[in-house]
Amino acid sequence: MCGIVGIVGNQNVAREIRLALYDLQHRGQDGAGMVLFNGKDCWAHKGIGLLTKVFSEEVIESVNGNSGIGQVRYSTIGDLEREEVFANSQPLDGSFHGEPIHLAHNGNLIGSKPLREEAKSKGYSFRTTSDTEVIVALLSVSDKKDLIEALLDVLPRLKGAFSLVILHRNKVIGVRDRFGIRPLCLGRNGSSSILASESCAFNSIQGNLIRDIRPGELVIL
């Protein structure tokens, strides 16, 4: 149920992210999305259907970034209408003290209605029915000065099973919930550090598994 990838390298990682997501296609076929950061600007693209439909060779050749995240989606929350599936496709975007953040999620949150209402009361306007946006919302309205501090404040309040990859500037942050129900692992190839739902995502980009992310662990690439 959903595959997520995050890569930071010393060269363009767009093709690596697409290949890693292709190796995770069995985890979700409803849609796919990717966000890249090139040191100045973010580029984002997502769509409905298989990865090869959403990310053609022409799309990949036209973009550039040395850090990024992506997701192949399996819908578990929200209507299955086309518009709803597209809106809930990830990564989702938000803002932390005026700077863009992007987040991709594998898992399900439970009992999140009070958190949703809390974010609304602080001025956040929800755009989707996705439980993932609750995390984006809480980070967006956080009064913490640093994103890591905000995450350490928000994450313990979440109930359910989740693994996350978050893009902020040139960093990719990986998170696994304290129960470790959803998978997330760390790998490396010659030029990039990689986070992915499963180690099979390293195969096509000639990466090696370093280890699983531990339950309750937060890592920064």
Side-chain angles (χ1 to χ4, degrees):
M1 295 184 180
C2 298
I4 57 176
V5 172
I7 300 181
V8 173
N10 56 22
Q11 59 187 13
N12 187 13
V13 298
R15 194 174 301 278
E16 287 186 328
I17 292 176
R18 184 179 69 164
L19 286 170
L21 288 175
Y22 185 81
D23 286 342
L24 294 174
Q25 184 77 91
H26 59 280
R27 295 188 66 89
Q29 301 181 8
D30 292 346
M34 184 190 306
V35 181
L36 300 170
F37 181 71
N38 63 11
K40 181 180 179 182
D41 301 309
C42 287
W43 172 89
H45 181 69
K46 63 182 180 180
I48 298 172
L50 295 175
L51 185 77
T52 50
K53 175 184 175 183
V54 178
F55 292 105
S56 66
E57 186 65 22
E58 291 75 17
V59 170
I60 294 300
E61 287 182 350
S62 68
V63 298
N64 184 49
N66 67 345
S67 58
I69 62 173
Q71 187 208 52
V72 285
R73 180 168 175 76
Y74 180 102
S75 300
T76 58
I77 287 182
D79 298 330
L80 294 180
E81 296 295 332
R82 182 178 179 85
E83 295 79 8
E84 190 83 358
V85 172
F86 180 80
N88 287 341
S89 294
Q90 298 179 24
L92 296 183
D93 64 285
S95 176
F96 183 76
H97 296 308
E99 294 185 337
I101 56 172
H102 299 83
L103 185 150
H105 170 211
N106 167 221
N108 287 103
L109 303 184
I110 60 173
S112 60
K113 186 176 180 180
L115 298 178
R116 180 179 286 263
E117 294 303 316
E118 175 187 328
K120 284 182 179 179
S121 71
K122 294 181 178 179
Y124 185 88
S125 297
F126 281 84
R127 299 158 292 168
T128 76
T129 58
S130 172
D131 55 344
T132 305
E133 194 177 4
V134 172
I135 309 173
V136 174
L138 292 175
L139 293 174
S140 295
V141 300
S142 173
D143 59 3
K144 301 295 184 182
K145 294 182 179 180
D146 179 78
L147 180 60
I148 301 303
E149 291 181 8
L151 282 166
L152 295 177
D153 178 58
V154 168
L155 293 172
R157 304 179 64 198
L158 304 178
K159 296 180 180 179
F162 57 88
S163 288
L164 311 172
V165 286
I166 302 165
L167 179 65
H168 179 233
R169 300 175 181 166
N170 62 342
K171 296 184 180 69
V172 170
I173 302 162
V175 175
R176 197 174 181 198
D177 76 79
R178 60 187 174 133
F179 299 110
I181 296 172
R182 299 299 187 190
L184 191 65
C185 56
L186 175 67
R188 176 82 188 176
N189 63 17
S191 61
S192 302
S193 296
I194 311 154
L195 290 164
S197 292
E198 299 178 37
S199 59
C200 64
F202 306 148
N203 294 343
S204 294
I205 55 178
Q206 300 178 332
N208 296 309
L209 173 68
I210 296 175
R211 63 176 176 86
D212 286 339
I213 302 304
R214 293 183 291 270
E217 185 177 14
L218 181 151
V219 297
I220 304 170
L221 308 183

